[in-house]
Amino acid sequence: MVNVSGAGAMLHALRDRRPRTRSELSEISGLGRAAVAQRLDALLAAALLEPVGEAASTGGRPPTRFAFNPSARVVLAADVGATHVRLAATDLAARVLDSEVIDVDIGRGPRHVLGWIVDHGRSMLRRIGRGPEELAGMGIGLPGPVEFATGRPVNPPIMPGWHGFDVAGFVGGRLGCPVVVDNDVNVMALGERYIAFSDVDHLLFVKVATGIGSGMVIDGAVRRGAQGAAGDMGHIHVPHESDAVCRCGNTGCLEAVASGAAIAAQLAEQGIPARSSRDVADLVLQGSVVADQLVRAAGRMIGEVIATAVSLLNPSVIVIGGSLAMAGESLLAGVREVVYQRSLPLATAKLEIVAAVGGEQSGVIGAAALLCDTVLAPGLVEAELARHEPRVAAGR
Amino acid sequence: MVNVSGAGAMLHALRDRRPRTRSELSEISGLGRAAVAQRLDALLAAALLEPVGEAASTGGRPPTRFAFNPSARVVLAADVGATHVRLAATDLAARVLDSEVIDVDIGRGPRHVLGWIVDHGRSMLRRIGRGPEELAGMGIGLPGPVEFATGRPVNPPIMPGWHGFDVAGFVGGRLGCPVVVDNDVNVMALGERYIAFSDVDHLLFVKVATGIGSGMVIDGAVRRGAQGAAGDMGHIHVPHESDAVCRCGNTGCLEAVASGAAIAAQLAEQGIPARSSRDVADLVLQGSVVADQLVRAAGRMIGEVIATAVSLLNPSVIVIGGSLAMAGESLLAGVREVVYQRSLPLATAKLEIVAAVGGEQSGVIGAAALLCDTVLAPGLVEAELARHEPRVAAGR
């Protein structure tokens, strides 16, 4: 068996997309010239690396440079919502190759929904001309709390029949690949970080749509808490005169007064037809002053909670996403107003508060990124190289 | 040079204080018998391990077992407050060997205060009969934000003259050892975890004294945020009729209405003499109904903020410490009342809210634990073994 120890660290370094020479790879891995050559052979045979161009010569034959080859495998990603699933195929750099939206009611239970996802995933692979053996894995975001280690939902309020279901096992068994499952807001947080803030280690993503939730990147990784319930911003208590009852049964929850659903209800009470978070955003974009004022007021209430999160977590970037964030600057303006007023200078001096940039795609990109981070971890890469070594060697 | 690769992982595993046989160490490190013997030699020569008793024999000569030897080195730890410093010497398991409290005004600046700490630290080492070459390092907790990577305070409000001062370099240069510096509440959080919750990966420590602050263990490590300002609970806004002005200039900060200082002021207004957080705690313990009611009300306000932290972070343990927590159950009762009412069942089903157990010592124990975790990290241990190998070998 070929020794592949150190190959994982070499690949990990190359994921920054900068090509390296053999001597640079020797420096990164701490391995000698012969060992680097051996690891390179294994990674090239697995197509995970490819030779690209040549480095500037220092005299003599210019050294070859090697780069990560994200096209070596394909990844499936699903962002599951209450009424539809966004499905995508990406490369190993989470770049979307194809995507589609499937209408499916989450209330029909995990076997039905996940069966559809598996079927459509297989079709998508065929459509883009990739075989099942090229599939590195699948990342899935679900709209409820998930026990990340086991890939099982935990008492998800809007997902009847999903509690404790082995999502990773069900999908992984059918597709024959590793599957990672996380909360939808966590994968959106990862997606936004992957797209626009790859160098940011402390990021808070807040989704404002029908409900309100958040995902936290702390010290470079998504943090999920003791039971996977971290980031549950929607049921934080905010002072408010209305005492609206929340779907959780408590009163005064942020979600009950500042979510897209809450604003739609407030508009409907005033005789302005609005049934959803998207309707509210549309009204604002069409110039409704009342809708605009309500969204800005919601931004202030969300800002109160975010100000608390800033004091507790000291992030450097806050990203506001979800359908209500598409209503232009009003929501963000309300958030900024309160956060910069309420938080201490040390925590806000370098704080950016921005709108999400990934749009509808940030969920699938984040789910794909989560899968890539999992399967491209150095230990797994080396296990994979060691396992396939005979086949790879035979093919050369 | 002897190859010590894997020795760090062996020592790391043995820090759980359970002795292991050679074959168990081989399993832990993935090394063969000869390599384990070589790493054992290096660790025994450095006195970091010691042979202890014998394992149950499976026939033939019973195998020797090896245990971590925390007495191999000594650690200094300082918990710096506004008016005094608690100094301690511990072993490599953060067990206190000696401790003392030195009166020193933090306003006299870093050279004065740290000079005292160095002098008293040297005296303490002499007193317990340990030489400077046995000193593994020093851990220091400071009452203000600290940039952990560099060991420098960042605009600490109650520490004039300390901003940007190279605390780690100043102390390390004089004592000739590694020095780690952190916020005092972070080291208290670590201390409480070390003493009572070593298996808990999600812990929130809240200190309620003159001010209010918190330290967060998330996924097994203290999290400090982008600028080291994480956990700044005292200036979070809470709804309150008084609109008391906080020392930060804002109104409605938690600290301005629920800290020991705030309650002392409220008592003094009612003609009950109290000047400090400790006076308030004493009044409660002496049976003052008014003081007890104010402390419980403060507990409820602190509980509002903790409930938010529970929704955001989903910890499994919340530890309440500081001088006001010494006033019996009133503070904790107020906190529990609100947290269990406000947070969602998933986040509170397994949540413990407890009083701190480390008392005055948790700061120095945490600072020592932080130093031990730093210098006993596998990479550093192996670098140290490799560096001293000739000397160690010569001494055998």
Side-chain angles (χ1 to χ4, degrees), chain B residues 1 15-16 24 103 114 149 160 167 187 236 238 258 261 281 318 327 378 392:
Chain B
M1 203 171 87
R15 284 184 69 199
D16 70 3
E24 286 172 320
D103 283 328
L114 298 173
V167 174
V187 298
I236 289 173
V238 287
I318 292 168
V392 165

Side-chain angles (χ1 to χ4, degrees), chain A residues 154 202 216 219 223 225-232 235-237 250-251 304 308 311-314 341-342 344 346, chain B residues 202 216 219 223 225-232 235-237 250-251 304 308 311-314 341-342 344 346:
Chain A
V154 184
H202 295 271
M216 295 174 293
D219 281 334
R223 305 297 169 179
Q227 277 86 32
D232 191 0
H235 304 285
I236 289 173
H237 190 225
N250 250 321
T251 57
E304 288 278 348
T308 296
S311 293
L312 287 175
L313 304 173
N314 183 208
Q341 180 204 329
R342 283 301 333 164
L344 287 183
L346 176 59
Chain B
H202 295 272
M216 296 174 294
D219 281 334
R223 305 297 170 179
Q227 277 87 31
D232 192 359
H235 304 285
I236 289 173
H237 190 225
N250 252 321
T251 56
E304 287 279 348
T308 297
S311 293
L312 288 174
L313 305 172
N314 182 208
Q341 180 204 330
R342 284 299 335 163
L344 287 183
L346 177 60

Side-chain angles (χ1 to χ4, degrees), chain A residues 212-230:
Chain A
I212 297 174
S214 72
M216 295 174 293
V217 172
I218 299 174
D219 281 334
V222 169
R223 305 297 169 179
R224 301 175 176 90
Q227 277 86 32

Side-chain angles (χ1 to χ4, degrees), chain B residues 203-221:
Chain B
L203 178 148
L204 176 68
F205 174 81
V206 182
K207 179 186 176 186
V208 188
T210 305
I212 297 174
S214 72
M216 296 174 294
V217 172
I218 299 174
D219 281 334

